């Protein structure tokens, strides 16, 4: 029997199982890193299945052409991705500092790019200085930490992108627009204006819906963000009766919690589907917080300039790690002892 036929069945089953898992996860709960994992579980077998089918069609000239072009593109993507990512991180980091000024928070994308270079170039060189089992263990463990952390970042990125896909069949009753600070204490910033415009767009796509502008009054602000957002929306033609204002929150968690309480009072029963609107880089973490609070909702994001969005996205990912720090530290701690036990056992067996 052709070995390609033998390969086809397990790959076909893996592709079907992965695709079913992804669709189930997407419908059941998108707000999870499991969405990214299930996406990869579906994508990789499907790519393998396509490759096997093309090999089985070797007599067809187009099959080899597609296979060669696809293989070259896949290898190029793997080899060039690190360089493209590093270049983008460094350039966007420099642009951010030049345009927005120097601060520690503005160093994230630049620092991430430098760390990535160090990991790809400098870290392998350190393997030559290992002299004994202790350094071998330390090098292996830190390599594992880097791998786990970068894997979480990749899964966070994939899951974040998938949560930005719009469900055109769903109708939303309430659209929560999250605040993000005012300019000169009273004026809506361009960043916040983008969120409001995206919220208004969703409002007009969902007749009968209501806008909920969420944001309290900061120490340097003359009025609550929610009130300033309301004024901006009314200037754009939104009737006041279709607007609710939440003006007590001071962070994203409270934005969602207090807005949900306001909606519950207004709806007096079934609140229908909720939509949370913020910037694209912020959508996924906002949805994860909403999930933690037990608020069922989808997300939609407004555009942001790339140099700003990359740095902000890394900040959101770090905030995600901080939120799940107990799980993250537990995994790394258990791995430390498991790897250490393996090295001790190896040392003991060699010295018997």
């Amino acid at each position: 029997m052709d070995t390609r036929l033998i390969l086809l069945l397990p790959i076909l089953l893996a592709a079907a199982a992965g695709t079913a898992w992804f669709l189930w996860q997407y419908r059941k709960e998108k707000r999870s890193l499991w969405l990214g994992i299930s996406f990869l579980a579906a994508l990789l077998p499907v790519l393998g299945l396509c490759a096997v089918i093309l090999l089985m069609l070797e007599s067809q000239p187009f099959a080899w052409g597609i296979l060669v072009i696809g293989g070259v593109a896949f290898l190029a993507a793997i080899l060039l991705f690190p360089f493209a990512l590093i270049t983008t991180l460094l350039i966007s980091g420099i642009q951010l500092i030049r345009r927005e000024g120097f601060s520690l928070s503005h160093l994230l994308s630049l620092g991430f790019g430098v760390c990535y270079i160090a990991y790809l170039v400098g870290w392998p060189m350190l393997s030559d200085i290992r002299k004994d089992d202790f350094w071998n263990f330390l090098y292996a463990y830190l390599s594992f930490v880097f791998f786990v952390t970068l894997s979480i970042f990749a899964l966070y990125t994939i899951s974040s992108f998938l949560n930005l896909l719009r469900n055109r069949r769903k109708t939303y009753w309430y659209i929560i627009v999250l605040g993000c600070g005012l300019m000169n204490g009273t004026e809506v910033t361009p960043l916040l204006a983008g969120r409001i415009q995206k919220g208004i767009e969703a409002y007009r796509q969902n007749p009968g819906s209501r806008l909920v502008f969420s944001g309290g009054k900061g120490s340097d602000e003359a009025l609550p963000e929610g009130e300033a957002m309301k004024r901006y929306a009314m200037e754009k033609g939104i009737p006041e009766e279709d607007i609710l204002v939440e003006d007590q929150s001071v962070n994203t968690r409270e934005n969602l919690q207090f807005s949900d309480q306001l909606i519950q009072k207004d709806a007096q029963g079934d609140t229908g589907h909720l939509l949370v609107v913020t910037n694209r880089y912020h959508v996924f973490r906002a949805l994860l917080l909403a999930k933690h609070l037990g608020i069922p909702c989808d997300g939609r994001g407004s555009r942001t300039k790339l140099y700003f969005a990359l740095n902000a996205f890394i900040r959101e990912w770090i905030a995600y790690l901080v939120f799940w720090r107990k799980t993250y530290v537990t995994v790394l701690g258990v791995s430390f002892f498991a790897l250490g036990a393996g090295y001790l056992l190896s040392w003991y067996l060699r010295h018997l």
Side-chain angles (χ1 to χ4, degrees), residues 29 31-32 35 48 85 98 131 139 145 162 166 183 191 210 224 232-233 248 257 264 267 271 293 296 301 317 335 337:
E29 181 56 87
R31 302 169 298 175
S32 169
L35 182 67
L85 178 61
R98 289 180 59 185
K131 302 296 183 182
Y139 185 85
V145 172
L162 292 172
R166 179 180 164 189
M183 183 170 52
L191 195 70
R210 304 193 73 181
Y232 183 93
Q248 301 299 314
Q257 187 175 8
Q264 296 291 341
T271 60
L293 293 168
W317 169 67
S335 303
F337 288 108

Side-chain angles (χ1 to χ4, degrees), residues 9 22 52 54 57 68 81 98 105 116 121 131 153 157 180 190 201 223 230 274-276 280-281 291 317 334 340 345:
L9 182 58
F22 170 68
V52 172
L54 288 172
L57 297 174
V68 170
F81 174 76
R98 289 180 59 185
S105 63
Y116 202 1
V121 179
K131 302 296 183 182
F153 180 74
T157 302
C180 62
E201 177 186 300
L223 75 163
K230 174 184 175 181
L274 306 182
L275 180 68
V276 175
R280 289 178 179 174
Y281 63 79
K291 175 187 173 184
W317 169 67
V334 170
L345 179 61

Side-chain angles (χ1 to χ4, degrees), residues 156-232:
Y156 185 90
T157 302
I158 294 170
S159 301
S160 178
F161 173 78
L162 292 172
N163 272 272
L164 291 175
L165 298 179
R166 179 180 164 189
N167 187 343
R168 298 181 181 273
R169 295 181 297 175
K170 187 177 287 188
T171 300
Y172 300 100
W173 294 9
Y174 290 90
I175 298 156
I176 305 171
V177 183
L178 306 184
C180 62
L182 301 176
M183 183 170 52
N184 301 322
T186 58
E187 301 174 30
V188 168
T189 64
L191 195 70
L192 183 54
R195 296 186 182 187
I196 300 171
Q197 292 285 10
K198 181 61 68 171
I200 291 174
E201 177 186 300
Y203 161 82
R204 288 173 174 160
Q205 291 167 349
N206 294 270
S209 62
R210 304 193 73 181
L211 283 161
V212 182
F213 293 122
S214 178
K217 181 176 176 293
S219 58
D220 59 342
E221 295 172 341
L223 75 163
E225 295 168 15
E227 188 61 39
M229 294 160 73
K230 174 184 175 181
R231 294 181 183 180
Y232 183 93

Side-chain angles (χ1 to χ4, degrees), residues 28-69:
K28 179 191 174 187
E29 181 56 87
K30 297 186 294 183
R31 302 169 298 175
S32 169
L33 290 193
W34 285 110
L35 182 67
I37 295 172
S38 64
F39 175 77
L40 292 177
L43 177 64
L44 296 179
V46 167
L47 292 177
L49 180 63
C50 292
V52 172
I53 292 175
L54 288 172
L55 285 172
M56 294 176 67
L57 297 174
E58 60 183 353
S59 60
Q60 302 296 326
F62 74 89
W64 277 106
I66 295 174
L67 191 60
V68 170
I69 293 173

Side-chain angles (χ1 to χ4, degrees), residues 91-111:
I91 292 176
S92 64
I94 294 171
Q95 283 183 325
L96 179 64
I97 293 172
R98 289 180 59 185
R99 298 183 184 184
E100 306 289 337
F102 179 85
S103 71
L104 291 178
S105 63
H106 290 168
L107 290 174
L108 291 176
S109 61
L110 186 62

Side-chain angles (χ1 to χ4, degrees), residues 124-145:
M125 296 180 182
L126 294 179
S127 62
D128 296 333
I129 68 172
R130 296 178 293 175
K131 302 296 183 182
D132 53 35
D133 288 331
F134 173 76
W135 289 110
N136 280 329
F137 161 71
L138 186 62
Y139 185 85
Y141 177 69
L142 290 179
S143 297
F144 174 78
V145 172

Side-chain angles (χ1 to χ4, degrees), residues 262-339:
L262 188 64
I263 290 170
Q264 296 291 341
K265 290 181 181 178
D266 182 75
Q268 297 180 350
D270 186 9
T271 60
H273 295 130
L274 306 182
L275 180 68
V276 175
V277 176
T278 181
N279 293 95
R280 289 178 179 174
Y281 63 79
H282 186 228
V283 167
F284 189 48
R285 190 169 73 86
L287 292 178
L288 290 172
L289 285 172
K291 175 187 173 184
H292 184 72
L293 293 168
I295 303 172
C297 60
D298 292 328
R300 195 170 299 178
S302 60
R303 293 183 179 180
T304 315
K305 292 181 179 178
L306 181 62
Y307 75 87
F308 185 90
L310 279 175
N311 194 81
F313 184 77
I314 293 171
R315 186 175 66 241
E316 294 296 319
W317 169 67
I318 292 173
Y320 168 82
L321 286 181
V322 172
F323 184 77
W324 290 103
R325 59 188 178 278
K326 290 184 179 179
T327 303
Y328 179 66
V329 171
T330 299
V331 170
L332 296 185
V334 170
S335 303
F336 177 85
F337 288 108
L339 188 62

